[in-house]
Structures are given as structure tokens and as C-alpha cells.
Amino acid sequence: MNTFSKQDDPAIPLGVLAAYGGLALPMAAGFIALQVIVPTFYAQALGLSLTAVGGILLLARLWDMVTDPLVGFLSDRTPTRFGRRKVWVLASAPLIAISVWLLFNPGGQVSNSYLLLCAMAIYIAGTMALVPMNAWGAELSSNYHQRSRVAGSRVVFGLVGTMLALLLIDNSSNAALQSSLTAIGMLVLVGLALTVPAAMRWVPDDSKARPEGNNLRGAWRLLITPSPFRRLLLAFLLNGIANAIPATLFLLFVTHVLQSPELAGPILFLYFLCSAISVPLWVAVARRFGKHRTWCAAVSMACLFFAGAPFLGAGDTAWYVAIVVGTGLMIGADLALPSAINGDLIEWDAHENGQQRPGLFFALWGTASKLAFALAVGMVFPLLDMIGFDATTSNSAEDIRALAILYGGPSILFKLAAVAMMHNFPIDEAEHGRIRSALAASGQSA
């Protein structure tokens, strides 16, 4: 029996949830521009080749495989008197602001080197914020359902930031797209100025990490040893690739397949609005059926909607809107539940390995998230180049059909593989309660 009742873990105040979740707003605004606009803008407006853009962004993301574990290692060892997670989030804010501005506002002719340096800078700055921020959220409560609330708050504010950025997108011309990036850059700067001080003031940071195994050797062991963590991480990576492929190709899809570039902003806004609406629903469903079962159901249903994308053509906007609404409603589960499951594995780590390493867990989590985007753009942009697709001019019907197939087809395969990985996942609410009881009985912190 689970000896931990709701009274053992009082609900996190809404003010704390809002102050913590608010940090995701400027981060998400910058990320959606980085994922959706930047690759197409540098290829379409600035003339860099699709292969070069894909390779550069992949290389910059691969660098995170070094920086993510390093930041996780250091944040777990930061003295608590400074606020173990707070100090990293605070230090990252000016670095994010500078790198976002340079990447979103390239002056005159730009080279491959400029894109590489700016991309690496923004990824490093983002790592300094996101790895400690995610570990910080997991430490606000060790309760199975409270962690869903924490993840949900982060997702909701992230979606608000995403939608605000989408309202600023104008894809009618290359100049308009440049103006959109400038406006989103300003949104990120203002968002950081408002949300970081609020989190410093109102969100507690009393981490109880035991980081003895938080090092490269510990990270390697987590990756090579069969465990619930490795299983979850691989499923998260596969599903992340599935989501990143259509996100990376979105502007090209609406411009060349649907031939409706003016609808890019409104359609993306609708997609993330549906995601935001669905997050509280998925958190409630997960409370009834469990997080991993709910996530698998949502991912499976998303495959049904993606199946129609390769068959669309010019003028099929109504059908595409239906696909956008359907996948948007499913993506709310993707955004909230996997991260909450990862938080639950911190107690599993304490029970199985005698260590509590949220910094390391969310460093590897961040690496998987970034690697998913890098692999997506690193695969599909060179593939488009190989088949002869040109982002700067008109293309043959065969090339456009290949773009449509790449937009939807691979996502289904990756998502089904993720569902297979998470089938019968061993850490559910009952098992998590048993682990917490065992930790309490042994005198360890739950």
C-alpha cells in the first residue's frame, strides 16, 4: 500500500507555480522561432544551402551532448546558499538575450560560420537555463500528481510564449520574415526581464540533490544500463524526432504544398492554442489512468491525424486545419507528461542507486530534446537537397510530393516506436508510492 497520502504533500501554491512556469514563456518564444523560422529564413532569405543549414544546426546541437551533462554536473554541486538552481537561471538570462538578438538579426551577408557560432551560443545559454530549471521543477515536490501540475504550469506558460511569438510571424516575404524574427527577439528580451526576477523572488530553491554519481561516468552508466530511465529517454527522443520533423518543415509545407504562405502564422497559433487547451485535460486523464498510459494513447491518436498529411496538395487548407487541430490536442500530452515521468525517476534513482541526481537526469533529458530537433533538421534538409528541392524557387510536382511525404510519413514511424518503448512502463503511481515508502523506511529523503 502507498503510505503517502495527499496530506503528506500539500498542494504547491498557484503563485509559486505561476512564478516558476513563467520562466518558460520567453524560452518557448525563442525556441519556436529557432525551430520553425530560423532554418527556413537562413536558407530561403539569406541563401545558405539546405544541406549547410541542416548540418550546422545538427553540429551545434551535438555540442549540447557535452554542455548539458556539464551544466547538470555543476548545478547539482552549486552551493545551496546561493540557490542551487536559481543562480544558473539568473546567470543565463543576459547570455540568452545577446545570442537571441544576434541570431535573429543577422546584418547584411552572413556565412555558415556566423550561423554556427550564433547557434552554438544560443544553445549553450539555453542549456544554462533549461537544465537547472527542469531539475528545479522536479524538486518543488516529490508527489506523483504534484509533479504533473508543475510540468503543466511550465507547459502552459511555454505555450503562451509560443503563441505570442506566432502572432508576430509574417511569412508574406523575406523582409517580413526578418521583421518577425526581430519582433520575437524583443519579446524574448522583455519576457526575460519580467519572469526571471519573479522566479528569483517567489520560487523556493532548497534542492536536496546527492550528486556523487553526477559525472560523465555516471551519465554513461545511465545510458548503457537497461533501466526505466533509459527506456523513457529513448521513447522521448523518438517521439521528439517525430514532432520536430513537421515543425522543421512547416513553413516549406504551407508555402510549397498548400501554396498558402500567408496562413503560416494563424495555423501555428491554432496548433498551439489547441495544445494549451488540452494540457489540463491530459493532466486530469493521467491522474485517472497513469502518465505513461495516457501519453501512449495520445501519441497513438496523433499518428491517425498525421496519416493524412502526405496526401494534401494546393488549396487543401480545410483538411490541413483538421490535422492541425487534432495533432495540437494530442501534443498537450507530449508536452506535460514525459517530463513529469522523468521527475518520478529521481526517487527511483535514490532507491536503486542510492543517489538523487535531478541535474544529471534533466541534463540528459535536455540533450535528448535538443538532439531530436538536430536529427530532424539534419536528416530532412539534406534529403530535400538530394531530391532537388529548392527553397528559393518553384519546384516540380514530384519534389513537392516528396516534401509532403517527408512532412508526415516519418513522424508516424517514430511515434509508433515510442509507444512500443513505453508499453507496460514499470513506474506507475503505485510503484512510485512503494519506492517513496521504501525510501522513508530506510531514512532517505523522498
Side-chain angles (χ1 to χ4, degrees):
M1 174 181 285
N2 180 3
T3 63
F4 286 89
S5 66
K6 292 180 181 179
Q7 286 71 30
D8 293 313
D9 299 283
I12 299 172
L14 290 177
V16 172
L17 285 177
Y20 169 74
L23 290 170
L25 192 154
M27 309 288 184
F31 180 76
I32 191 63
L34 179 61
Q35 186 175 36
V36 175
I37 302 177
V38 166
T40 298
F41 177 74
Y42 273 77
Q44 178 177 287
L46 301 183
L48 301 187
S49 75
L50 289 168
T51 298
V53 171
I56 288 168
L57 294 179
L58 174 60
L59 179 61
R61 279 297 199 186
L62 291 177
W63 178 241
D64 279 335
M65 297 183 71
V66 176
T67 60
D68 277 13
L70 178 61
V71 170
F73 172 87
L74 294 174
S75 72
D76 273 350
R77 285 166 169 74
T78 302
T80 54
R81 65 181 179 275
F82 299 130
R84 181 167 277 158
R85 313 303 177 188
K86 284 183 177 181
V87 67
W88 283 91
V89 174
L90 183 62
S92 70
L95 301 178
I96 293 173
I98 293 170
S99 56
V100 162
W101 193 256
L102 290 175
L103 183 64
F104 289 8
N105 294 277
Q109 293 294 321
V110 299
S111 63
N112 292 339
S113 299
Y114 182 88
L115 176 59
L116 176 62
L117 292 175
C118 288
M120 291 183 70
I122 196 172
Y123 289 153
I124 292 171
T127 292
M128 289 176 60
L130 292 174
V131 170
M133 176 183 164
N134 287 331
W136 191 5
E139 292 165 338
L140 293 178
S141 175
S142 60
N143 180 270
Y144 184 82
H145 294 301
Q146 287 298 311
R147 282 199 173 126
S148 294
R149 293 182 69 223
V150 173
S153 71
R154 187 171 60 234
V155 168
V156 168
F157 277 96
L159 289 171
V160 170
T162 296
M163 289 187 289
L164 289 175
L166 295 176
L167 290 175
L168 301 174
I169 293 179
D170 183 350
N171 191 38
S172 60
S173 67
N174 290 336
L177 206 55
Q178 170 65 87
S179 298
S180 300
L181 282 173
T182 300
I184 294 172
M186 287 298 301
L187 173 62
V188 173
L189 268 59
V190 173
L192 289 171
L194 294 176
T195 61
V196 172
M200 299 302 107
R201 172 66 178 84
W202 285 298
V203 183
D205 181 7
D206 52 356
S207 167
K208 299 178 178 63
R210 296 193 297 276
E212 293 82 3
N214 186 346
N215 49 45
L216 289 178
R217 181 178 297 178
W220 180 246
R221 286 178 178 171
L222 280 174
L223 293 176
I224 65 174
T225 304
S227 69
F229 174 75
R230 191 179 76 164
R231 185 171 164 184
L232 173 65
L233 191 69
L234 181 56
F236 178 70
L237 174 64
L238 293 172
N239 189 64
I241 296 172
N243 291 333
I245 289 173
T248 300
L249 295 177
F250 171 76
L251 286 182
L252 295 177
F253 185 88
V254 297
T255 300
H256 296 274
V257 177
L258 299 181
Q259 297 182 17
S260 302
E262 72 282 356
L263 294 179
I267 287 177
L268 272 178
F269 185 87
L270 175 64
Y271 174 80
F272 285 104
L273 177 63
C274 292
S275 302
I277 292 172
S278 71
V279 168
L281 172 63
W282 289 119
V283 170
V285 173
R287 190 176 185 89
R288 172 68 177 83
F289 296 103
K291 297 174 192 174
H292 74 275
R293 298 183 188 90
T294 301
W295 184 35
C296 286
V299 172
S300 299
M301 288 187 284
C303 291
L304 297 177
F305 289 101
F306 268 121
F311 303 100
L312 299 184
D316 290 334
T317 53
W319 286 108
Y320 186 60
V321 166
I323 292 173
V324 166
V325 170
T327 53
L329 291 173
M330 299 305 110
I331 209 71
D334 279 351
L335 296 173
L337 300 182
S339 180
I341 298 171
N342 191 40
D344 295 334
L345 296 184
I346 294 171
E347 283 76 39
W348 165 84
D349 188 36
H351 182 253
E352 293 294 322
N353 303 314
Q355 296 166 340
Q356 199 159 343
R357 303 169 288 182
L360 177 60
F361 271 49
F362 281 98
L364 295 174
W365 192 257
T367 297
S369 177
K370 297 167 186 175
L371 185 60
F373 165 73
L375 290 174
V377 69
M379 287 188 299
V380 298
F381 268 32
L383 280 174
L384 285 176
D385 232 359
M386 287 175 59
I387 65 177
F389 185 88
D390 189 340
T392 64
T393 187
S394 59
N395 293 272
S396 68
E398 291 77 13
D399 291 343
I400 292 175
R401 181 55 51 204
L403 170 62
I405 293 172
L406 279 176
Y407 178 86
S411 293
I412 297 174
L413 299 178
F414 282 113
K415 281 184 173 292
L416 291 177
V419 171
M421 289 292 301
M422 289 303 292
H423 180 64
N424 289 331
F425 189 71
I427 309 298
D428 57 10
E429 181 181 6
E431 178 62 13
H432 186 255
R434 186 194 69 78
I435 290 172
R436 292 183 65 200
S437 298
L439 289 173
S442 65
Q444 299 183 60
S445 171

